[in-house]
Amino acid sequence: MDLEHARRVAVEAALSAGAVLRESAPGAVAVHDKGGAGDVVTDLDLAAEKLILDRIRADFPSHRIVAEESGVHGGESPVGGWTWLVDPLDGTNNVAIGLPAYVVGLALCEGGRPVLGVVHEPLSGHTWSAVTGAGALGPAGPLTGPPRRDLPHGPVLAWTQGHGVSRRDPAARSLKMTMDARARRVLQLWAPLLCWAMLARGDIDGMIGYCAEGLDLPAGALIAREAGVEIRRLDGGPFEASAEGPPEDRSFVAAPPALVGDLLDLVAEAGRLAPALPPL
C-alpha cells in the first residue's frame, strides 16, 4: 500500500469537497434533523460526501468506506483490512446557525488503526495531513511540534464528547466543571477535527475527550500525534485512536508532553468531585 499516494488522493478529495462547502456555507442551507440527540445534517454534507466517496472508489475500489451520512460501503471487515473514515462536514451544527467553523476529515485505517489522516479547512484553504511514522504536514510544510507557551492564567483547552453522552452524565459534568475552574478558556466548537488541527499547530494547549465519536477521532488524533502531541487515556494509560470498540475507549487527554501531567491531574480532581455532584 502506497500511503503517500493515498495521502494525495485524500487531500485532493478533501479539497474538492471543501470547494463545494466554501461556495455554499455558511448560508441558506437546507437543515434536517439527524437522530434523537439534537444533531443535524444538511444538503451540503450529502453533496460533499458523494464527491469524496466517488474519488476514493476510483482509486481504491476494494477498500471499505465508513461515511458519516451514508454508512458502510463495500470492502471487508476492518480486522486486517483497509477502511476509510469520511466526515464530509465536521461542524454541521455550526453551518446550520451560520457559524464559519467547520472542516472536512478523512482517515485511512489498517486493521482499525489509523495510518493516514487529512483535515481540510475550506474557508482558509489550509490542509493538515499525516502518515503514521512519517510526521505531519501543514500549509507551510512539516509540523515540528506545538510551540511552548507561558500559561500564567491556565491553558486554553478544547472539549469534545460523543452524541450519546447524557446531560446527566456525572463524569462529563464533573470534567467540564473542573476544566472551567482550571483553564483560561474552554472551547466547545462542535467540530472536533478543527480542535485537533488547532492543537497540532499550537493554537490551543490541550484537549479532553469523553466517549468521543469514532468517525472523526482517528484522523485528528493521528495528525496531532505526528505533530508531537501526546495522547493518553483518562487513567494515564496508552491511548489507541481507533473508531472500533465501545465509546468509553475513546476518552482521552491530549497535549504537548510537558502539559499531559497537568491534564491528568485535572481528570483526577474531576473524578473526586463526580460523586458529590447534585442531581439535575
Side-chain angles (χ1 to χ4, degrees), residues 54-66:
D54 289 347
R55 184 69 179 89
I56 293 174
R57 287 184 184 126
D59 276 71
F60 306 103
S62 65
H63 286 192
R64 179 175 179 258
I65 305 174
V66 181

Side-chain angles (χ1 to χ4, degrees), residues 158-162 187-188 192 196 207-213 216 252:
W159 165 263
T160 184
Q161 67 181 52
L187 306 180
Q188 299 184 60
W196 282 114
M207 185 172 176
I208 296 180
Y210 181 70
C211 297
E213 291 297 307
D216 50 33
F252 62 87

Side-chain angles (χ1 to χ4, degrees), residues 175-191:
L175 281 167
K176 289 190 284 187
M177 185 171 64
T178 308
M179 289 173 71
D180 284 336
R182 295 184 54 167
R184 179 161 65 93
R185 293 287 187 275
V186 178
L187 306 180
Q188 299 184 60
L189 294 185
W190 293 351

Side-chain angles (χ1 to χ4, degrees), residues 225 230-240 251 253 264:
R225 180 169 275 157
E230 187 172 341
I231 311 173
R232 301 273 197 91
R233 295 197 317 249
L234 297 186
D235 63 3
F239 180 78
E240 184 63 55
S251 296
V253 300
L264 291 175

Side-chain angles (χ1 to χ4, degrees), residues 130-249:
V131 169
T132 185
L137 296 176
L143 298 178
T144 57
R148 189 177 184 87
R149 307 200 311 176
D150 293 328
L151 306 172
H153 305 292
V156 176
L157 302 176
W159 165 263
T160 184
Q161 67 181 52
H163 296 310
V165 177
S166 167
R167 293 184 181 183
R168 294 176 175 268
D169 189 297
R173 294 174 61 207
S174 182
L175 281 167
K176 289 190 284 187
M177 185 171 64
T178 308
M179 289 173 71
D180 284 336
R182 295 184 54 167
R184 179 161 65 93
R185 293 287 187 275
V186 178
L187 306 180
Q188 299 184 60
L189 294 185
W190 293 351
L193 283 170
L194 179 56
C195 293
W196 282 114
M198 294 174 71
L199 180 58
R201 66 194 188 217
D203 294 339
I204 61 175
D205 303 301
M207 185 172 176
I208 296 180
Y210 181 70
C211 297
E213 291 297 307
L215 195 70
D216 50 33
L217 173 65
L222 179 62
I223 292 170
R225 180 169 275 157
E226 290 292 326
V229 171
E230 187 172 341
I231 311 173
R232 301 273 197 91
R233 295 197 317 249
L234 297 186
D235 63 3
F239 180 78
E240 184 63 55
S242 173
E244 309 297 328
E248 54 267 25
D249 288 349

